[in-house]
């Protein structure tokens, strides 16, 4: 995280230095170029600066462009035309800040999404640790509809107790995995859990690859 912040600051500093360098060139050109062309050059300078650096880039490029227009106005007419300066300033600020604020908003949204994604990844890793680390037998089922249930995965404890690996159960319905008789019995319990929308606890005797055992099962809708 700190590396990302440092990297971002370095990138912003680099962009500002480039803008200052380009701005200096525009100011030097303003001594020799017609005020109209300087105005257009300033506008061209403001747009990419605002896109790259947001509001800060808009403020810097607008200030530089306005100074260039003032110099070009005085060079061309031997006096400062306030109307030219005010109009340029209004146009520059409107375009620059409009773009800059939108860019800042998009960057803030992107940062928020990245933070949410990181939080989701961290949460997933924590759940994974609990899921695989517990000694309880656990399995996950995807509810396609009220009649269709497919196994997603089971943890290490469940695999050892049942003899059913993730590869064996993944994507299969109870009937596909265990046959009509046993699969239908198990599926009825899943349907009951979904209909009641509460934890259902019961005992059942199941003949699985690891042997026949009596299971104390709890199903919880998530």
């Amino acid at each position: 995280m700190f590396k990302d912040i440092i990297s971002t600051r370095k990138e912003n500093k680099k962009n500002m230095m480039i803008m200052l360098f380009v701005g200096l060139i525009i100011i030097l050109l303003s001594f020799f170029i017609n005020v109209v062309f300087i105005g257009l050059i300033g506008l061209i300078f403001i747009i990419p600066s605002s896109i790259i650096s947001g509001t800060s880039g808009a403020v810097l490029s607008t200030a530089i462009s306005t100074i260039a227009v003032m110099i070009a106005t005085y060079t061309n007419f031997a006096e400062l035309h306030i109307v030219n300066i005010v109009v340029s300033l209004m146009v520059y600020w409107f375009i620059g800040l409009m773009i800059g604020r939108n860019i800042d908003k998009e960057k803030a949204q992107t940062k928020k999404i990245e933070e949410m994604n990181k939080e989701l990844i961290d949460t997933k890793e924590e759940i994974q640790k609990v899921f695989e680390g517990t000694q309880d037998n656990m399995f996950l089922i995807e509810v396609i509809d009220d009649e269709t249930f497919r196994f997603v995965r089971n943890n290490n404890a469940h695999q050892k107790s049942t003899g059913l690996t993730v590869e064996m159960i993944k994507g299969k319905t109870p009937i596909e995995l265990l046959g009509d008789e046993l699969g239908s019995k198990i599926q009825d319990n899943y349907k009951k859990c979904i209909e009641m929308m509460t934890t259902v606890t019961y005992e059942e005797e199941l003949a699985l690859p690891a042997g026949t055992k009596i299971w104390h099962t709890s199903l919880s809708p998530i």
Side-chain angles (χ1 to χ4, degrees), residues 119-136:
E119 185 177 340
L120 286 173
I121 292 171
D122 292 341
T123 302
K124 181 180 178 182
E125 290 176 352
E126 290 300 320
I127 293 174
Q128 173 76 6
K129 289 177 183 178
V130 173
F131 186 76
E132 294 297 348
T134 181
Q135 296 302 309
D136 294 328

Side-chain angles (χ1 to χ4, degrees), residues 185-207:
K185 179 182 176 183
I186 291 174
Q187 186 167 286
D188 287 340
N189 290 324
Y190 297 168
K191 288 171 65 176
K192 182 179 178 182
C193 177
I194 294 302
E195 288 171 359
M196 297 177 65
M197 284 307 293
T198 187
T199 299
V200 175
T201 303
Y202 55 91
E203 286 190 354
E204 60 184 347
E205 184 176 344
L206 301 177

